[in-house]
Amino acid sequence: DRSNTDTDQIIPKQFLKSIKRTGYGESLFFDWRYLPDGKPNPDFSLNQLESKGASILVARNNFGCGSSREHAVCAIQQYGFQVVVAASTERDGVRVPGFADIFKNNCSKNAVLTIELSASEVEWIFQAVEHHPGLEATADVSAQRLTLHTPKEISFRFDIDPAVKERL
């Protein structure tokens, strides 16, 4: 539940010592997931029991900003995420996208679906997760719908580039 998550927060630079594209999942959000002594941070959302095995990551706006490191997408994918949802918002008349362009392009090249929704829709998702621990959702690329399986299901329509849709 953060805005402006940059690629160094997604996969810190100290883990980029190899040109291989494997082994990054355990280091995803390392500085947030682990305490200085190396133990899991119990307050970080991905360390919560309800988050284990999650395949959809939800964030605020401008996710993947910063450097163009493709390793950030590798870390997300290798951790187990297949979809990243982020909010587009507007500040002082300027649109702030859900994703940084290079990050979004790297995701599409690596079969990670990016879904950009409005800030109010993403807020709704965060509230639903809070009220329904272990909430499940489905991203349907063909129908371009993200469905939350709450007692009363709710769906959000998303746009996707036709070429990316075909590839996915």
Side-chain angles (χ1 to χ4, degrees):
D1 188 0
R2 300 171 194 227
S3 294
N4 304 311
T5 300
D6 69 37
T7 55
D8 194 45
Q9 293 161 324
I10 296 170
I11 183 72
K13 64 186 174 305
Q14 67 264 31
F15 300 105
L16 305 179
K17 296 177 182 174
S18 171
I19 59 169
K20 294 179 183 176
R21 296 174 52 149
T22 59
Y24 296 109
E26 282 303 309
S27 302
L28 178 70
F29 301 123
F30 187 86
D31 294 335
W32 296 338
R33 283 179 52 211
Y34 299 101
L35 298 170
D37 65 3
K39 293 180 183 172
N41 178 353
D43 296 328
F44 187 64
S45 58
L46 293 186
N47 292 335
Q48 304 300 314
L49 185 60
E50 303 85 37
S51 298
K52 297 296 180 200
S55 60
I56 300 175
L57 175 65
V58 182
R60 299 289 177 177
N61 62 298
N62 203 24
F63 189 84
C65 59
S67 72
S68 61
R69 67 178 66 144
E70 195 169 356
H71 300 83
V73 177
C74 294
I76 287 169
Q77 188 179 50
Q78 290 167 20
Y79 185 82
F81 292 114
Q82 300 171 5
V83 179
V84 182
V85 178
S88 170
T89 190
E90 193 170 307
R91 279 196 206 115
D92 301 324
V94 177
R95 181 180 177 277
V96 179
F99 300 95
D101 284 339
I102 294 173
F103 177 83
K104 186 173 182 174
N105 288 332
N106 285 339
C107 281
S108 71
K109 292 175 186 174
N110 288 283
V112 174
L113 174 63
T114 55
I115 297 176
E116 187 172 70
L117 299 175
S118 70
S120 61
E121 290 170 323
V122 168
E123 180 59 36
W124 203 99
I125 293 170
F126 277 117
Q127 293 301 316
V129 168
E130 186 175 313
H131 290 95
H132 304 283
L135 174 68
E136 293 189 10
T138 304
D140 184 333
V141 175
S142 297
Q144 296 180 214
R145 309 244 4 123
L146 175 67
T147 303
L148 304 182
H149 303 291
T150 56
K152 182 179 178 184
E153 286 191 346
I154 183 165
S155 291
F156 303 98
R157 185 187 180 295
F158 61 87
D159 293 323
I160 186 170
D161 179 273
V164 172
K165 182 177 181 177
E166 179 65 29
R167 212 169 30 248
L168 293 174

